[in-house]
Structures are given as structure tokens and as C-alpha cells.
């Protein structure tokens, strides 16, 4: 359900909602490989040009990249969730103004 809401939010350019869905899904135990699939499908379905110009700079994609990077560093899910909340919760969006606005 959260991934469907994420996909709808990204497709509609609703960055705040997209961030909330990622944070909720990850906090609820979503395996980041599911996010790999979601963002791969955005590139596939919307085209690489659109993905590169609109989705890649978006706060949602920045949150996804942060998750992947922190997982590679061996950080715990609790640490990752805390960092995500600090960086991406309402009012703290990366990439403000890009990809449809926050």
C-alpha cells in the first residue's frame, strides 16, 4: 500500500507525500530492495530523460540514495530511520524547489 502511494505521489510530483511514504515504509520494515524495484520502474516507465531531470533530483530519490548509502556503511535500521527523519521530515527536504517542489 505504501509503495503504491509512493508511486502515485512521485508520478504526480507530490514530493512531501513521496517522502512520507518512503519514511513510513522503511520504518515499518520495508526491504530497501523493494525501493530498488520501484525506482527502476520509474526510469523504465517514465523514460530515462524524465527520470534524470525530474525524479533523480527529487527529495524522494535523495532519501532512497541515503538509505542505500547508510545500509552499505552497515548502519542499523534505527540509525537510518533517525537520520531520515532529521534530513527529510516536513520542513527539512533536500532539493527544495526541484522536481515539482516540496
Amino acid at each position: 500500500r505504501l509503495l503504491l502511494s509512493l508511486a502515485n505521489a512521485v508520478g504526480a510530483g507530490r514530493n512531501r507525500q513521496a517522502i512520507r511514504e518512503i519514511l513510513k515504509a522503511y520504518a515499518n520494515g520495508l526491504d530497501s530492495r523493494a525501493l530498488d524495484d520501484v525506482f527502476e520502474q520509474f526510469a523504465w516507465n517514465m523514460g530515462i530523460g524524465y527520470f534524470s531531470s525530474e525524479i533523480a533530483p527529487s527529495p524522494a530519490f535523495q532519501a532512497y540514495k541515503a538509505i542505500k548509502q547508510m545500509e552499505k556503511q552497515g548502519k542499523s535500521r534505527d540509525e537510518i530511520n533517525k537520520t531520515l527523519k532529521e534530513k527529510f521530515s516536513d520542513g527539512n527536504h533536500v532539493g527544495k524547489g526541484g522536481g515539482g517542489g516540496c
Side-chain angles (χ1 to χ4, degrees), residues 21-100:
E21 302 304 344
I22 289 174
L23 269 62
K24 286 189 289 187
Y26 195 75
N28 284 315
L30 178 76
D31 190 312
S32 68
R33 291 177 296 183
L35 291 173
D36 295 343
D37 292 341
V38 168
F39 282 99
E40 181 180 303
Q41 286 300 309
F42 290 145
W44 181 261
N45 291 326
M46 296 175 164
I48 196 66
Y50 183 84
F51 181 88
S52 297
S53 66
E54 297 296 326
I55 296 174
S58 74
F61 192 70
Q62 299 309 307
Y64 161 71
K65 288 188 341 185
I67 290 168
K68 298 303 283 186
Q69 181 180 27
M70 289 185 279
E71 285 182 344
K72 275 187 180 177
Q73 295 170 350
K75 294 191 178 185
S76 71
R77 185 173 284 269
D78 288 339
E79 286 179 282
I80 294 170
N81 280 323
K82 182 179 179 203
T83 301
L84 290 173
K85 286 179 187 174
E86 289 170 359
K87 285 185 172 183
F88 299 102
S89 64
D90 284 338
N92 295 326
H93 297 164
V94 171
K96 285 184 180 176

